[in-house]
Amino acid sequence: MARRSGCRQTRSVKGNAHKIAKVKKESNKRRKSIKKLNDSQNEWRQNDLNSVSKAAEVSDSSAQTPDAQPSPLPTLSWCCSEDVWMKMLSKEIKYKHSKSSLHGHPSLRSKMRAMLLDWLMEVCEAYTLHRETFYLAQDFFDRYMLSQSDVKKDQLQLIGITALFISSKIEEIYPPKISDLAYVSDGACLEEEILQMELIMLKALNWNLCPETVVSWMKLYIQIASLYDVTNLLVPQFSQETYIQVTQLLDLCILDINSLDFKYGVLAAATLCHFMSADVVQKVSGLKWEAIETCVNWMAPFVETAMRYESAQLKEFGQVLPEDRHNIQTHVNYLCMLKEAQEKQSESLGPFFPPTPPSSTEKTS
């Protein structure tokens, strides 16, 4: 009996030692994984601190310049309004766009971009997506095209629907399924192609996915212009009817690639100038008249064209609350309006006659 109990004890000790060794091995693995996670978190924190310090440097430098935009935001109880304003201005510098985004693509024309964005507006209305979703997709598309070269025209629809796929996952509570987006492309874009293009686009954009879009600037300006309750700044206090008329003009202008000549904040302020006095716009945007005058003049043919069409009307959407319906992206016959506006713009510029060279007797030796 003693020998058997001794054998049993030996076996139990060996079994326990094996279990202890196994536990130690697992605990060591956990320690290593935790250490690796902590190191990565520290690295992320350091990167965040670096980005914050860079943003602070940008804000300090812009605050020191005499032409810096003064903050139109009221004093807020839940955050520092100056910090919010400087963060928005720093995004205007970080997220760059340009009308030269198609220059590196010989087979593409600006009309193709307009047709693509017009189609994306239709898709947004069909799936009751918000205006911010469309304008995020527009920004992603233009910045992606700026970073690429020699994109073929048969890839445009795939790039556009992928940009909308990314933006809807950021902005929408219930984004459309990838199968829905593949369906509206009428077989031109497969689900696998959209997923593959998503990775390519995210890498090209370097995961910079949070710009201040034109419509976000617009909503801020019109909110401050209509503000009567400072404590509820995040609750819309403007007229829905006025807002959709302003955004209809903005939708028309964004189809023209020359709109990318201007910063988003300037483009939104210039649009608002055609519905409010210039003094009010300067007050709510912090911009001087000299900064928006060129954009206001450029936009004049678009305003004249939009006035010839029926004013934008609020639409009813089945599952959208009445207080949110003005935020849903809508679509009208923008391409016809765009063509007329561009023709008016060409007429206002007049025909171009190259200068006549001097005669041989007038030339200096």
Side-chain angles (χ1 to χ4, degrees):
M1 294 294 294
R3 288 181 181 178
R4 289 181 180 178
S5 61
C7 291
R8 288 175 183 174
Q9 288 177 1
T10 304
R11 289 174 184 174
S12 63
V13 169
K14 289 182 178 179
N16 292 335
H18 180 70
K19 291 180 181 179
I20 293 170
K22 188 176 180 181
V23 170
K24 285 183 178 180
K25 188 175 181 180
E26 290 179 355
S27 63
N28 289 333
K29 286 183 179 179
R30 290 179 182 175
R31 288 195 194 97
K32 289 180 180 179
S33 61
I34 292 172
K35 185 178 182 300
K36 187 176 180 181
L37 179 61
N38 290 334
D39 292 341
S40 61
Q41 288 178 345
N42 291 332
E43 185 179 354
W44 293 339
R45 291 192 189 100
Q46 188 61 39
N47 291 335
D48 291 340
L49 290 173
N50 293 336
S51 61
V52 169
S53 62
K54 288 180 181 178
E57 290 174 3
V58 171
S59 63
D60 291 341
S61 60
S62 58
Q64 292 172 1
T65 55
D67 296 331
Q69 292 176 236
S71 172
L73 297 175
T75 303
L76 305 174
S77 59
W78 39 272
C79 70
C80 177
S81 58
E82 288 292 336
D83 291 345
V84 173
W85 182 247
M86 295 312 302
K87 183 66 175 177
M88 295 180 71
L89 293 181
S90 66
K91 286 187 177 183
E92 287 274 67
I93 301 172
K94 178 181 179 180
Y95 294 88
K96 295 181 180 180
H97 55 268
S98 172
K99 71 174 184 180
S100 63
S101 57
L102 298 184
H103 287 181
H105 314 283
S107 62
L108 302 183
R109 300 292 179 267
S110 58
K111 184 179 180 180
M112 299 176 185
R113 173 187 176 273
M115 294 175 65
L116 177 67
L117 294 182
D118 181 78
W119 175 70
L120 289 179
M121 288 184 192
E122 286 190 271
V123 175
C124 288
E125 183 175 10
Y127 289 106
T128 60
L129 304 181
H130 290 78
R131 296 184 187 275
E132 182 66 19
T133 303
F134 165 74
Y135 278 93
L136 268 180
Q138 168 265 315
D139 179 80
F140 295 162
F141 172 80
D142 286 324
R143 285 196 292 124
Y144 174 77
M145 296 300 291
L146 188 62
S147 67
Q148 302 300 302
S149 61
D150 199 21
V151 172
K152 305 303 179 184
K153 60 182 179 181
D154 58 354
Q155 294 180 283
L156 279 185
Q157 192 173 18
L158 176 60
I159 296 172
I161 202 67
T162 304
L164 186 63
F165 179 55
I166 298 171
S167 65
S168 63
K169 289 197 290 185
I170 295 173
E171 190 64 27
E172 301 292 333
I173 298 177
Y174 302 106
K177 297 179 181 178
I178 189 172
S179 57
D180 297 329
L181 298 181
Y183 172 77
V184 295
S185 68
D186 197 19
C189 306
L190 302 177
E191 295 180 26
E192 294 78 10
E193 293 176 327
I194 296 175
L195 291 174
Q196 185 178 8
M197 179 55 68
E198 180 186 20
L199 294 176
I200 295 172
M201 186 173 289
L202 290 173
K203 186 176 180 180
L205 296 176
N206 199 24
W207 290 86
N208 292 321
L209 307 176
C210 301
E212 289 296 334
T213 61
V214 190
V215 78
S216 65
W217 283 107
M218 174 62 67
K219 185 175 287 188
L220 174 67
Y221 294 161
I222 198 170
Q223 173 78 328
I224 297 177
S226 311
L227 199 62
Y228 59 85
D229 185 1
V230 181
T231 59
N232 290 324
L233 181 64
L234 301 180
V235 178
Q237 301 181 32
F238 47 80
S239 166
Q240 289 185 331
E241 289 74 12
T242 303
Y243 182 76
I244 61 171
Q245 291 176 13
V246 176
T247 51
Q248 186 181 61
L249 176 58
L250 200 60
D251 292 345
L252 175 61
C253 292
I254 204 66
L255 295 184
D256 192 312
I257 197 170
N258 292 310
S259 63
L260 301 180
D261 263 343
F262 310 101
K263 293 180 178 180
Y264 288 155
V266 173
L267 187 62
T271 307
L272 203 59
C273 273
H274 295 284
F275 296 86
M276 298 181 179
S277 67
D279 292 337
V280 172
V281 174
Q282 292 179 71
K283 182 178 179 181
V284 300
S285 66
L287 292 165
K288 297 181 180 179
W289 173 248
E290 293 77 12
I292 58 178
E293 182 180 11
T294 304
C295 189
V296 170
N297 295 334
W298 170 83
M299 199 177 289
F302 295 88
V303 179
E304 185 180 350
T305 301
M307 290 176 64
R308 294 183 62 254
Y309 287 78
E310 185 180 358
S311 298
Q313 302 294 327
L314 276 170
K315 295 185 179 182
E316 298 288 344
F317 300 96
Q319 298 179 348
V320 178
L321 297 175
E323 58 267 23
D324 190 44
R325 56 183 177 170
H326 64 283
N327 286 321
I328 302 300
Q329 179 64 52
T330 54
H331 175 264
V332 295
N333 195 0
Y334 282 122
L335 291 180
C336 288
M337 296 170 66
L338 178 65
K339 184 179 179 181
E340 289 186 27
Q342 290 175 339
E343 289 175 353
K344 290 180 183 295
Q345 208 166 41
S346 301
E347 292 172 1
S348 64
L349 294 175
F352 173 73
F353 298 102
T356 306
S359 61
S360 57
T361 56
E362 296 175 349
K363 292 180 180 178
T364 58
S365 55

